[in-house]
Amino acid sequence: DAGVIQSPRHEVTEMGQEVTLRCKPISGHDYLFWYRQTMMRGLELLIYFNNNVPIDDSGMPEDRFSAKMPNASFSTLKIQPSEPRDSAVYFCASRPDRGETQYFGPGTRLLVL
Amino acid sequence: SQQGEEDPQALSIQEGENATMNCSYKTSINNLQWYRQNSGRGLVHLILIRSNEREKHSGRLRVTLDTSKKSSSLLITASRAADTASYFCATDKAAGNKLTFGGGTRVLVKP
């Protein structure tokens, strides 16, 4: 199994640009989670999906952030417009329906100039 | 806000020594998990302890849980240079939904 796949691994963009982060969960996993990690705030849960349906988006910082999961094998996290304070490492994680531990992807390191 | 707070924030030890780190949390939990993060990588699950368990072992790892004090500890015995990483506790209030992570302990094992 390839594990959770995220792309791109690194993204550098300018303030105001749209950024799209992508995630492919482990096949058969029903839950998908998006996290953001910064030095100041640590690891924060942004949103999670169950069977492609968003369950809890209370961690999404503001309307500039949106996430979708059009099918069981693909999810996107979009930031539009991006701001320098969005610079962080964004992780995607997944887990099976009856599991309790999460499997993390390698992360996308985002720098907004 | 973070559910778990970890102590110490950083730890430096010699290879072969034991490393102990602690995690405190605020609300009742279903289980508590420990994860490791190597520099520039994603988190990797290490061990899970349920609220009705007091101690659990996995290889060189020993985890304790004291629900009355709302705290947990992770002990790594006979540390190796490869154990150099950040270690995070994560609390799960409702069996598999949201995990809330602590701030992490950075461990440096010097050869």
Side-chain angles (χ1 to χ4, degrees):
Chain A
D1 196 328
V4 175
I5 299 172
Q6 292 187 247
S7 65
R9 293 294 311 277
H10 302 272
E11 178 83 23
V12 181
T13 191
E14 293 188 345
M15 184 173 62
Q17 297 297 306
E18 178 178 293
V19 174
T20 299
L21 311 181
R22 297 173 176 80
C23 175
K24 177 178 168 55
I26 293 172
S27 177
H29 282 194
D30 299 305
Y31 284 82
L32 184 140
F33 304 82
W34 281 101
Y35 291 90
R36 178 173 67 176
Q37 185 177 40
T38 61
M39 289 294 293
M40 291 297 294
R41 300 176 66 87
L43 196 64
E44 304 172 280
L45 176 66
L46 300 177
I47 185 171
Y48 78 93
F49 295 82
N50 180 21
N51 291 322
N52 314 336
V53 176
I55 303 300
D56 187 338
D57 65 354
S58 59
M60 295 286 262
E62 47 197 276
D63 292 345
R64 298 184 297 107
F65 285 69
S66 63
K68 294 182 180 179
M69 192 164 185
N71 57 62
S73 58
F74 184 65
S75 178
T76 59
L77 178 67
K78 188 172 292 186
I79 308 172
Q80 166 64 18
S82 59
E83 296 183 2
R85 59 190 168 126
D86 302 330
S87 297
V89 182
Y90 291 82
F91 289 102
C92 176
S94 69
R95 71 162 179 86
D97 183 44
R98 289 189 169 274
E100 291 164 303
T101 65
Q102 295 182 15
Y103 298 78
F104 281 75
T108 295
R109 188 172 296 272
L110 173 65
L111 178 61
V112 182
L113 302 173
Chain B
S1 62
Q2 293 173 351
Q3 160 81 313
E5 296 297 331
E6 297 181 57
D7 170 60
Q9 290 188 330
L11 183 59
S12 180
I13 57 174
Q14 293 292 139
E15 204 165 28
E17 293 180 340
N18 294 344
T20 300
M21 59 211 86
N22 304 295
C23 169
S24 60
Y25 56 92
K26 298 172 185 173
T27 64
S28 62
I29 60 171
N30 177 279
N31 66 71
L32 185 145
Q33 303 177 33
W34 286 90
Y35 287 77
R36 183 187 72 221
Q37 183 180 32
N38 289 88
S39 180
R41 303 285 188 90
L43 280 73
V44 174
H45 177 260
L46 295 176
I47 194 167
L48 179 153
I49 187 165
R50 301 189 186 285
S51 59
N52 60 354
E53 297 176 311
R54 292 296 167 259
E55 187 171 315
K56 204 162 184 179
H57 297 254
S58 177
R60 293 184 296 111
L61 304 179
R62 172 177 164 251
V63 171
T64 63
L65 180 65
D66 187 335
T67 53
S68 66
K69 294 181 179 178
K70 292 186 171 57
S71 67
S72 173
S73 69
L74 172 66
L75 168 68
I76 305 173
T77 61
S79 63
R80 306 167 182 169
D83 295 328
T84 293
S86 291
Y87 292 82
F88 294 86
C89 68
T91 52
D92 184 349
K93 287 195 245 184
N97 290 334
K98 295 169 62 168
L99 288 181
T100 305
F101 284 84
T105 294
R106 295 189 311 279
V107 175
L108 172 64
V109 182
K110 294 180 281 187

